[in-house]
Amino acid sequence: MKGSNIRNFVIISHIDHGKSTLADRFLEITGAISPKKMRPQFLDMMDLERERGITIKLKPVRMEAEILGERYILNLVDTPGHVDFSYEVSRSLAAVEGAVLLVDASKGIQAQTLANLDLAKKQNLVIIPVVNKIDMLQADVEKSTDELAQLLEIEKSDILKISGKLGTNVAKVLEEVAKKVPGPLQENAEKPFRALIFDSEYDPYQGVVAYVRVIDGEIKSGEKIKLFAAKARAEAKEVGYFKPQMEKQDKISAGEIGYIATGIKEPGLVRVGDTIMKESQSQGILPLPGYREAKPMVFASFYPENPDDFEVLKDALSKLKLNDPALIYEQETKEALGRGFRCGFLGTLHAEIVSERLHREFGLDLVISTPSVVYRIIDQKDKESYIYAATDWPDPSKIKETYEPLVSLEIITPVEYIGGVSDVLKNFRVVYKDTNYLSFERAILIYEAPLADIITNLYDKLKGVSKGYASMNYKVLGYRKSKLVKMEILIAGGKEEALSRIVPEERAFQEGKNLVTKLKETLPSQQFSVALQALVGGKVIARETIRAQRKDVTGYLYGGDYSRKRKLLEKQKKGKKLLKEKGRVRVPPKVFLEVFRG
Ligand code: GDP
Ligand code: MG
């Protein structure tokens, strides 16, 4: 049983600890990217990723290098760090044998360091521990190394200290990868072909392109394939590697990471976690263990602004899902909004990114309902139901009990910010549970909290009071009873269904006030004044007014031609009345998510 010279590995860490930058250095050292083409965070290829400075998509790249006198093929998968994209991480982990775990020496261990390490351990990956950013003035290399050694129960001397930015000791990381990460078993090359789909995308010419880790055997372009779960047959129109752009090859083989263009035009047929086999060898072959489906935490309804775009939206969602399998969606129709989709997301950033991608990649403008967790209701007849959107909230007279999802919230913070963190939490419905210590200077605070509270802006607030040091993670515990009510929003007297939301009764006044204030700030002013009202149970609990933006229609008149001036003003008044009668103030798509963020 000999291992091959292939090394498949990921880089994992908390967000911003330097994964994509370290990947840049690997691309340079191995000559995968010429210096002329190099740019920072090269693998963050989406415009959205570059603008926001975050990685959203996993990204595979194949490199070759001579390490300690031997030739290696290095298949790296760069991963996102934000908790909302953790499905990208878990899928990447199933395609590799090792993980470089990065810790930013200026920040130390943070919440997603722990969460992603846990995922990697569950996959039995070899962990290469690395402390990064040692060049930074604020870096505390000793402390970070101590913490990491303690966490992994290893010697401090086993931890590499590097600067991904300057390149210090980066070559050593590749040496460790070559030495410690096991190569895929060579004997698997003789077995019938099996490949795990870990990602995919839609190409107008090639159809669905599956990103695969080949487990057994090999496949050549032109061979007939079968997708196990989907029971679909197709042809491997093209196979190849990620360099990181797709590069055509004659075949891809056991142990390698690459792609198979399937020609399949129906996006729903190709699912991550499914096994690709060869049609000629599929008899009696067992599928690979796939993935657990992502479990959506937050739901929001997407409606095309222009109802004629419904089919476009439908098609766009199916194509986007190929590239973002954590997204789930289901068609729905609502009286006030028309035909659209109820979509499930891993968090609110995920919802925001999906809406932005639908806009950029498919040219869609959307009306988005306020993101919501899933509530549980027991009605007066003791019937149980789950509510995904405030619009579906039943009349209060029909409700007996209301429940909301509860999470265990874990906040990691340097001890000096515990006071600040506690202050922030006073505005959230949390219950303190416990404190653990990662080291003398860093604490893990454990709370119970309603999921609805922590998916809004808690994370930003925590970062705000801790100079970016505090971080959080959460696990859903189940449902707990809670007194909840539906809050409705009227704009210029018209109900804006998409802005309705469920709030805890004791916070309704505060939430109502916050919401109308935020709306006042974000809605563009109109030619007439606009009343903004928040209602609970039909009663107004908060109101604001956006004052009319009075266009100076008389500006070009000079002198004292008063009658003409009056005529113009009259005309303007009439126009306003007309506009008002026509009624609706258009809520720009951006406002929906901005208002939600609070
Ligand atoms: P990722 O979210 O883990 O992929 O992190 P990025 O690679 O996008 O880096 C986040 C930020 O840290 C960027 O501004 C990088 O320039 C910076 N950074 C990454 N590595 C280093 C390093 O070794 N030293 C310093 N000083 N900055 C770094
Ligand atoms: Mg990154």
Side-chain angles (χ1 to χ4, degrees):
M1 281 206 294
K2 193 174 169 298
S4 73
N5 65 339
I6 299 173
R7 296 293 179 269
N8 299 314
F9 67 107
V10 291
I11 313 179
I12 52 173
S13 80
H14 191 78
I15 192 166
D16 271 351
H17 282 211
K19 297 176 290 298
S20 300
T21 304
L22 177 59
D24 288 348
R25 298 295 86 75
F26 290 161
L27 294 171
E28 282 171 358
I29 293 181
T30 60
I33 301 295
S34 71
K36 255 200 284 181
K37 286 202 182 136
M38 197 61 206
R39 56 179 189 175
Q41 284 96 31
F42 189 90
L43 295 178
D44 289 342
M45 287 175 179
M46 246 193 268
D47 288 343
L48 204 51
E49 292 180 307
R50 304 198 69 79
E51 279 167 33
R52 300 201 176 204
I54 57 168
T55 307
I56 293 164
K57 278 301 300 171
L58 66 86
K59 190 69 57 78
V61 57
R62 178 185 166 107
M63 302 172 287
E64 285 180 37
E66 190 166 315
I67 302 170
L68 305 169
E70 267 200 70
R71 203 82 202 142
Y72 285 92
I73 291 162
L74 303 165
N75 288 310
L76 161 70
V77 184
D78 185 24
T79 64
H82 193 284
V83 58
D84 280 17
F85 305 114
S86 61
Y87 199 51
E88 296 286 309
V89 182
S90 46
R91 283 175 9 250
S92 308
L93 296 177
V96 300
E97 282 83 18
V100 171
L101 176 68
L102 274 194
V103 172
D104 178 338
S106 73
K107 292 275 167 65
I109 287 168
Q110 292 192 281
Q112 260 58 54
T113 318
L114 298 185
N116 290 332
L117 173 62
D118 262 359
L119 291 175
K121 278 186 176 162
K122 279 195 191 120
Q123 291 281 340
N124 293 318
L125 300 191
V126 169
I127 309 287
I128 313 276
V130 176
V131 166
N132 189 28
K133 305 200 190 179
I134 58 169
D135 61 292
M136 281 182 78
L137 271 177
Q138 307 92 305
D140 193 335
V141 180
E142 269 311 294
K143 197 164 91 186
S144 301
T145 315
D146 271 341
E147 280 179 6
L148 194 52
Q150 217 171 0
L151 177 68
L152 297 170
E153 297 173 333
I154 53 169
E155 296 297 320
K156 278 173 73 175
S157 53
D158 290 339
I159 297 171
L160 291 173
K161 298 164 191 164
I162 72 162
S163 164
K165 187 161 191 170
L166 305 182
T168 323
N169 288 336
V170 166
K172 286 229 177 70
V173 181
L174 289 183
E175 281 175 22
E176 290 284 293
V177 168
K179 277 195 280 192
K180 293 195 174 152
V181 177
L185 293 179
Q186 271 178 342
E187 59 182 23
N188 289 349
E190 312 304 324
K191 296 181 182 167
F193 177 76
R194 287 195 302 174
L196 172 72
I197 305 177
F198 65 91
D199 201 7
S200 58
E201 67 178 277
Y202 191 82
D203 180 280
Y205 304 105
Q206 306 259 42
V208 178
V209 180
Y211 290 30
V212 296
R213 160 68 196 265
V214 183
I215 303 295
D216 301 324
E218 59 174 44
I219 189 143
K220 299 194 183 81
S221 312
E223 287 187 294
K224 293 262 187 301
I225 54 169
K226 200 172 140 184
L227 276 69
F228 182 82
K231 297 191 173 58
R233 285 158 207 278
E235 185 191 308
K237 288 182 78 170
E238 183 182 311
V239 301
Y241 301 140
F242 299 99
K243 306 270 282 184
Q245 276 77 16
M246 291 185 203
E247 206 176 278
K248 193 175 167 177
Q249 306 292 324
D250 295 334
K251 61 171 187 183
I252 51 175
S253 316
E256 291 184 321
I257 288 175
Y259 67 90
I260 299 175
T262 64
I264 293 174
K265 295 284 165 143
E266 200 182 317
L269 282 181
V270 185
R271 261 172 286 158
V272 293
D274 202 354
T275 303
I276 301 186
M277 302 169 172
K278 267 192 215 176
E279 200 175 343
S280 61
Q281 300 174 334
S282 62
Q283 211 61 12
I285 303 294
L286 293 175
L288 299 159
Y291 299 113
R292 236 185 291 157
E293 283 210 23
K295 192 167 170 14
M297 296 284 166
V298 178
F299 287 79
S301 294
F302 283 15
Y303 290 84
E305 246 196 353
N306 174 358
D308 295 343
D309 283 344
F310 175 78
E311 291 299 330
V312 183
L313 175 58
K314 187 173 171 182
D315 179 60
L317 282 168
S318 72
K319 286 177 179 159
L320 192 61
K321 186 178 167 65
L322 280 174
N323 202 232
D324 182 3
L327 164 70
I328 69 149
Y329 61 94
E330 206 174 291
Q331 194 174 323
E332 67 174 13
T333 305
K334 294 221 166 118
E335 211 180 309
L337 299 164
R339 279 203 303 170
F341 292 88
R342 177 171 86 201
C343 304
F345 307 95
L346 293 185
T348 46
L349 177 63
H350 186 208
E352 194 180 328
I353 294 294
V354 168
S355 73
E356 188 68 29
R357 287 187 71 182
L358 287 169
H359 178 66
R360 290 183 187 212
E361 295 169 32
F362 302 91
L364 282 161
D365 284 320
L366 302 169
V367 175
I368 301 163
S369 71
T370 309
S372 167
V373 303
V374 182
Y375 296 100
R376 177 171 173 256
I377 286 186
I378 306 291
D379 69 12
Q380 295 292 359
K381 291 177 184 151
D382 285 325
K383 220 182 103 223
E384 171 190 68
S385 55
Y386 289 90
I387 306 289
Y388 292 82
T391 32
D392 300 334
W393 197 255
D395 188 81
S397 67
K398 298 211 169 80
I399 299 175
K400 187 164 144 196
E401 286 162 5
T402 50
Y403 294 79
E404 65 180 323
L406 185 72
V407 301
S408 169
L409 170 68
E410 203 178 83
I411 296 174
I412 300 186
T413 177
V415 288
E416 64 259 43
Y417 298 113
I418 290 182
V421 166
S422 308
D423 282 345
V424 165
L425 289 173
K426 282 187 188 133
N427 295 317
F428 294 82
R429 296 174 294 154
V430 300
V431 178
Y432 171 78
K433 286 287 164 186
D434 200 5
T435 305
N436 295 320
Y437 289 89
L438 272 171
S439 63
F440 291 124
E441 289 128 278
R442 198 180 305 271
I444 306 182
L445 311 173
I446 306 197
Y447 297 84
E448 272 179 15
L451 177 60
D453 275 35
I454 64 161
I455 56 166
T456 50
N457 55 8
L458 175 59
Y459 189 38
D460 291 338
K461 292 237 158 94
L462 289 176
K463 282 202 293 192
V465 293
S466 65
K467 301 209 178 105
Y469 285 105
S471 57
M472 61 174 244
N473 197 24
Y474 61 86
K475 281 193 201 88
V476 175
L477 296 171
Y479 280 90
R480 75 145 185 211
K481 208 165 160 180
S482 178
K483 192 85 189 93
L484 304 160
V485 293
K486 176 178 175 181
M487 186 165 81
E488 292 177 318
I489 297 298
L490 264 50
I491 298 181
K495 196 193 288 175
E496 199 59 53
E497 236 352 296
L499 290 173
S500 300
R501 59 173 69 188
I502 304 305
V503 295
E505 190 174 42
E506 83 259 21
R507 289 188 176 237
F509 278 99
Q510 193 55 45
E511 296 255 349
K513 194 161 157 262
N514 292 349
L515 187 53
V516 289
T517 312
K518 183 77 191 179
L519 272 175
K520 185 178 175 176
E521 286 163 13
T522 36
L523 274 176
S525 63
Q526 311 284 323
Q527 292 197 26
F528 49 93
S529 74
V530 174
L532 305 167
Q533 296 166 298
L535 280 74
V536 168
K539 281 203 217 82
V540 178
I541 55 164
R543 71 169 289 148
E544 278 284 350
T545 307
I546 304 178
R547 291 187 41 212
Q549 147 211 60
R550 182 168 148 184
K551 246 210 220 133
D552 194 354
V553 284
T554 63
Y556 65 92
L557 294 176
Y558 50 90
D561 189 354
Y562 184 69
S563 62
R564 275 191 69 198
K565 211 170 188 170
R566 212 184 54 195
K567 245 191 212 154
L568 279 168
L569 284 170
E570 283 295 323
K571 204 168 137 200
Q572 190 190 30
K573 215 161 144 194
K574 257 193 217 147
K576 278 190 200 175
K577 194 152 167 257
L578 204 72
L579 258 175
K580 215 167 185 173
E581 273 161 9
K582 272 202 199 154
R584 280 191 60 168
V585 176
R586 183 179 168 276
V587 183
K590 264 214 160 79
V591 171
F592 291 100
L593 288 166
E594 247 169 66
V595 164
F596 174 73
R597 236 178 282 136

